Amino acid sequence: MTVTEHTLPFFLPIREVETDHLSSNAIRFIDHLEEILQSYIDRREQVRLIKELYGNQIGELFYSLPYTLIEFTLEDFECKVTVSIRYSDLILTLPSQARVLAWPLRSAKRISAADRRAQPVPSRLSYAENALKTLSLPEAYAEIVLELPRALKQMFYSQESD
């Protein structure tokens, strides 16, 4: 058997799934294809939700067609925070890789004078990376934003009292 026509998104690996499963087991082909499609829809809906719920806090937002690479920045903070997540397999709904970096802005009022003169160096936010790998994107986003002021204060701001 072969697939001659379909209306599935062109970026999903239909031919690869067909080669791997259709000739030996049509049910396995359908099940695997369903798993890929459901994961794609889940990733797409997670991105739609963060745009809908947190669009005013998100700066640039980029994603690949199958939503296996998602990158965005957070805008409402004294640091620029960049988030990059990758899914190593089309059937994943949680990312296999996450990178969250906080870049201090030179204009931040509470950054020490010595830090302001130095070249800004980003810091990884490991708590945010862990949240992205274990929670859905909207849930992870909420946790990241909730903990961000404390994490930024610990990393960048001087310990001097006001």
Side-chain angles (χ1 to χ4, degrees), residues 46-92:
Q46 289 183 48
V47 169
R48 186 191 64 74
L49 269 174
I50 66 162
K51 284 177 16 182
E52 182 180 305
L53 297 172
Y54 308 110
N56 59 328
Q57 296 173 341
I58 295 174
E60 303 161 346
L61 172 65
F62 302 101
Y63 47 86
S64 61
L65 289 174
Y67 294 89
T68 53
L69 169 65
I70 302 166
E71 295 181 339
F72 58 91
T73 60
L74 304 181
E75 294 289 316
D76 280 356
F77 303 95
E78 290 187 12
C79 292
K80 179 179 182 181
V81 178
T82 60
V83 176
S84 177
I85 57 177
R86 297 176 190 276
Y87 301 80
S88 61
D89 195 319
L90 289 173
I91 61 172
L92 296 177

Side-chain angles (χ1 to χ4, degrees), residues 10 23 41 48 84 88 128 136 142 149 161:
F10 71 91
S23 61
I41 291 166
R48 186 191 64 74
S84 177
S88 61
S136 72
S161 59

Side-chain angles (χ1 to χ4, degrees), residues 6-16 33 36-37 40 64-66 90:
H6 64 80
T7 58
L8 300 172
F10 71 91
F11 48 82
L12 297 178
I14 306 307
R15 294 292 171 227
E16 183 180 312
L33 198 54
I36 290 172
L37 283 168
Y40 159 72
S64 61
L65 289 174
L90 289 173

